[in-house]
């Protein structure tokens, strides 16, 4: 055993995600050993597969975003009506105000089809698949019989060593920034 695996104690997150981690770990090994792919392409293929599995959630998110944008005029009218009623003193108690909001919310969601919780499905799907994926890769790296030292690409030929140039974190940040900038309507 090497110095990394001898004193290892799992994090509480690893205990929480124990079953998904083992499924991801087995999946990575099936892809690597079963298809005979090097580790860099195994990790890339697994990451693309997870993204493709989350794609339907992204479509739901996209539809909900457009429903929300379409419902902005309706919501503005409702807020104007609320301000008018509040100013006129139509609400005798907080309970009446809450019931009015609930009925308005129900009518608005029936008209527009917008549901806030559906906006959270895609980010939650990605966030829930990230820890098992990371900890599965870490679990494979901790094994004494792994072959990560020969499965790399370009400047990181040994996947068991850290990236001494820290190029990958900068690439990840740059691509995320480009995606968010493009999504916000302003390109660079």
């Amino acid at each position: 055993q090497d110095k990394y695996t001898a004193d290892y104690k799992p994090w509480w997150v690893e205990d929480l995600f124990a079953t998904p981690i083992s499924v991801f770990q087995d999946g990575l090994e099936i892809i690597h050993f079963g298809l005979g792919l090097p580790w860099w392409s195994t990790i890339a293929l697994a990451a693309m597969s997870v993204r493709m599995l989350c794609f339907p959630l992204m479509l739901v998110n996209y539809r909900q975003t457009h429903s929300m944008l379409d419902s902005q005029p309706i919501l503005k009218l409702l807020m104007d009506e609320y301000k008018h009623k509040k100013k006129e003193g139509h609400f005798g108690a907080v309970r009446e105000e809450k019931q009015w909001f609930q009925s308005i919310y129900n009518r608005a969601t029936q008209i527009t089809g917008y549901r806030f919780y559906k906006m959270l499905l895609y980010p939650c799907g990605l966030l829930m698949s990230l820890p098992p994926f990371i900890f599965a890769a870490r679990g494979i790296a901790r094994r004494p019989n792994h072959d990560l030292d020969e499965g790399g690409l370009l400047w990181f030929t040994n996947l068991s060593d850290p990236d001494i140039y820290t190029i990958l974190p900068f690439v990840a940040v740059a691509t995320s920034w480009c995606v968010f900038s493009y999504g916000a309507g302003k390109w660079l």
Side-chain angles (χ1 to χ4, degrees):
Q1 288 194 353
D2 61 7
K3 63 182 179 180
Y4 297 112
T5 58
D7 299 329
Y8 182 75
K9 293 179 183 147
W11 293 7
W12 65 270
V13 178
E14 287 180 88
D15 292 335
L16 180 69
F17 290 106
T19 302
I21 290 172
S22 64
V23 168
F24 273 90
Q25 205 166 0
D26 292 343
L28 287 171
E29 290 178 344
I30 287 170
I31 293 170
H32 173 67
F33 295 117
L35 298 177
L37 295 174
W39 275 111
W40 68 268
S41 58
T42 299
I43 293 168
L45 180 65
M48 286 189 299
S49 299
V50 167
R51 294 297 290 239
M52 292 309 293
L53 287 173
C54 289
F55 185 72
L57 297 177
M58 186 182 74
L59 292 178
V60 169
N61 186 309
Y62 182 74
R63 286 188 195 120
Q64 289 301 306
T65 301
H66 283 283
S67 293
M68 182 185 68
L69 292 174
D70 290 343
S71 67
Q72 287 299 317
I74 295 170
L75 295 175
K76 184 177 180 339
L77 288 173
L78 292 174
M79 284 308 294
D80 290 343
E81 183 180 348
Y82 167 71
K83 288 176 186 176
H84 177 71
K85 284 186 178 251
K86 186 83 167 174
K87 186 178 179 182
E88 299 272 324
H90 284 260
F91 302 118
V94 175
R95 185 176 182 165
E96 289 177 25
E97 189 174 351
K98 183 179 177 184
Q99 287 174 343
W100 184 83
F101 265 120
Q102 189 66 40
S103 68
I104 291 299
Y105 176 78
N106 289 339
R107 282 192 289 169
T109 55
Q110 287 173 355
I111 293 169
T112 62
Y114 172 71
R115 304 286 191 276
F116 180 72
Y117 72 90
K118 289 184 179 181
M119 295 272 299
L120 301 175
L121 291 177
Y122 179 63
C124 288
L126 288 178
L127 287 175
M128 295 308 288
S129 63
L130 183 64
F133 190 78
I134 290 171
F135 287 120
R138 285 172 41 118
I140 290 172
R142 281 194 311 273
R143 291 185 180 170
N145 61 348
H146 65 72
D147 57 344
L148 292 172
D149 51 349
E150 58 194 39
L153 177 72
L154 300 174
W155 70 93
F156 54 99
T157 55
N158 186 348
L159 293 177
S160 60
D161 287 343
D163 179 13
I164 58 172
Y165 303 111
T166 62
I167 293 173
L168 288 179
F170 287 114
V171 168
V173 168
T175 55
S176 296
W177 180 72
C178 288
V179 167
F180 288 132
S181 294
Y182 182 72
K186 54 177 180 152
W187 181 246
L188 306 173

